[in-house]
Amino acid sequence: MIPNRSPRAAWQDTLAHAVSDPSDLLARLELPSDLVSGQARNAFPLRVPEPFIARMRKGDPNDPLLTQVLPLAAESDSVAGYSTDPLGEAAARAGKGVVHKYQDRVLLIASSGCAINCRYCFRRHFPYQDNQISGRHWQDALRYIAADKELREVIFSGGDPLVTTDRRLSEMIRDLAEIPHLQRVRIHTRLPIVIPARITPELTEAMTATRLKPVMVLHSNHPQEIDESVGDAIKQLRQQGVTVLNQAVLLRGINDNVATLTRLSESLFEYGVLPYYLFVLDRVAGAAHFDVPDEEAQALVGELQTCLPGYLVPRLAREIAGEPSKTLLTPLRGNRD
Ligand SMILES: *Cc1c(COP(=O)(O)O)cnc(C)c1O
Ligand code: SF4
């Protein structure tokens, strides 16, 4: 008998074998195992797939890819102003898995999981389990979107929506394409950076098979994340007409300098990706040690404007609960002694 199930794709195997034991990760990088905090790990597990580890430098405890995923003792500090739901998402839910905050676009929680657990993530405390769209909740979401004629765009988010199978994504996009007032479909994902093999011909096909204009927003924070394997994946998307953008988070000790941010924009554009947003950190409990103060962030982007063409400078932004769009922060320049 042939089992009635498609074989597991290579990316799914890689995902299933992601490293979750800090000792394994640190041994591979030839680092001492006492770098990790058990308490922080219990609060939010370590999770990092092989292809991302392969881009880390051995023997460097400050490697900018490692420090994005390693549970540290500093996460357990309680810092005033940092909470478990900094974006007020609990209040903006329009139904299971539907987050509708802005007028013409609606965000769907298409998956409960991520390929990688980023320590600074504002979703680290988010109750995914009760929120993802599946089964009858998908029909409810479709009804909600069909009923609001102002909606033009559906954004798949998560978690990471690309943890979902190509078949499921394809079905969902086809269903959406039947809603006449929709024009665009967008996927927000870190998976092509973490596991470039996630960009399969089936995924590209799912994104481009309908009348909806496809957009993918990647999430890369550091030029060391962009290697040729990532570039090849991006090329497949772009060749089929997907608009590819990047958003990053400004992170203390990882990308909080002009040289790194310049290289990030340049590395992305090597493959035709335009920078979209550079977010200041959401004030999520456990991530305060990554914070860069607004004024410093504004000065950094001000300086970035002098080093790069305007189209390679990301918009510095923050998400503020209750606002009708992201809030932009003005770049500052030239007022230093
Ligand atoms: C960030 C976000 C969007 C997208 O905002 P853009 O400025 O269009 O990128 C849409 N909906 C929600 C709920 C969001 O948080
Ligand atoms: S939602 Fe994005 S930033 Fe958060 S853990 Fe998942 S991949 Fe990382």
Side-chain angles (χ1 to χ4, degrees):
M1 287 270 290
I2 299 165
N4 181 24
R5 210 194 276 168
S6 29
R8 204 149 79 158
W11 67 266
Q12 289 174 303
D13 267 329
T14 310
L15 192 59
H17 293 111
V19 171
S20 56
D21 183 340
S23 318
D24 285 354
L25 175 63
L26 293 168
R28 277 212 34 190
L29 297 171
E30 297 164 10
L31 287 166
S33 59
D34 61 358
L35 277 178
V36 77
S37 154
Q39 195 184 342
R41 182 196 170 198
N42 289 341
F44 185 49
L46 170 80
R47 181 176 175 79
V48 56
E50 193 60 35
F52 197 76
I53 299 173
R55 281 167 257 156
M56 295 176 183
R57 285 189 302 259
K58 286 198 173 133
D60 181 359
N62 298 316
D63 178 87
L65 277 57
L66 175 65
T67 47
Q68 291 182 59
V69 300
L70 195 65
L72 294 180
E75 294 176 25
S76 310
D77 300 346
S78 164
V79 179
Y82 286 73
S83 79
T84 54
D85 184 18
L87 304 183
E89 300 232 310
R93 265 179 257 153
K96 278 223 186 243
V98 179
V99 185
H100 190 186
K101 291 189 192 171
Y102 306 154
Q103 183 171 303
D104 76 325
R105 49 221 194 276
V106 64
L107 191 146
L108 303 179
I109 309 283
S111 134
S112 61
C114 286
I116 186 168
N117 284 347
C118 311
R119 306 318 294 178
Y120 52 84
C121 182
F122 71 91
R123 294 187 192 277
R124 55 184 285 160
H125 306 282
F126 199 68
Y128 287 127
Q129 255 58 16
D130 350 316
N131 273 288
Q132 66 173 311
I133 291 199
S134 55
R136 78 183 160 82
H137 299 310
W138 175 244
Q139 295 306 322
D140 292 344
L142 283 176
R143 264 192 297 278
Y144 180 89
I145 296 162
D148 186 342
K149 298 224 163 29
E150 283 188 315
L151 289 175
R152 294 289 174 269
E153 179 166 341
V154 169
I155 302 168
F156 287 102
S157 182
D160 196 311
L162 291 191
V163 168
T164 312
T165 62
D166 290 333
R167 186 198 288 193
R168 183 73 195 117
L169 285 164
S170 167
E171 287 166 0
M172 290 193 287
I173 294 170
R174 278 173 206 284
D175 286 349
L176 291 173
E178 284 173 23
I179 300 176
H181 50 269
L182 289 183
Q183 297 172 353
R184 301 176 296 271
V185 61
R186 188 192 325 178
I187 294 181
H188 273 232
T189 176
R190 188 147 162 71
L191 241 160
I193 303 296
V194 177
I195 306 176
R198 177 63 190 93
I199 304 300
T200 58
E202 292 77 15
L203 174 64
T204 310
E205 162 74 16
M207 287 190 79
T208 54
T210 76
R211 65 181 182 83
L212 299 175
K213 293 288 172 284
V215 180
M216 184 177 281
V217 180
L218 301 171
H219 173 181
S220 172
N221 300 316
H222 195 282
Q224 196 180 311
E225 294 174 14
I226 315 291
D227 67 0
E228 218 169 292
S229 64
V230 173
D232 288 344
I234 293 167
K235 273 184 208 157
Q236 291 184 47
L237 292 164
R238 297 229 319 127
Q239 274 165 5
Q240 299 304 314
V242 179
T243 296
V244 188
L245 307 170
N246 184 66
Q247 64 179 35
V249 181
L250 184 60
L251 297 165
R252 176 64 87 212
I254 292 172
N255 58 9
D256 57 334
N257 62 80
V258 174
T260 302
L261 291 173
T262 301
R263 278 198 294 128
L264 177 59
S265 279
E266 288 174 343
S267 306
L268 287 163
F269 197 65
E270 269 298 304
Y271 302 106
V273 180
L274 287 168
Y276 182 36
Y277 283 128
L278 176 64
F279 284 110
V280 294
L281 191 76
D282 294 313
R283 300 211 167 103
V284 58
H289 56 293
F290 287 118
D291 190 48
V292 177
D294 283 1
E295 272 199 22
E296 192 181 331
Q298 291 169 283
L300 265 172
V301 178
E303 215 175 316
L304 207 55
Q305 283 181 323
T306 67
C307 309
L308 286 168
Y311 60 89
L312 291 187
V313 180
R315 274 160 266 206
L316 184 65
R318 152 170 292 133
E319 190 167 340
I320 300 176
E323 291 295 315
S325 72
K326 306 290 188 244
T327 300
L328 297 185
L329 281 76
T330 316
L332 298 175
R333 210 162 48 220
N335 48 4
R336 271 181 287 170
D337 299 316

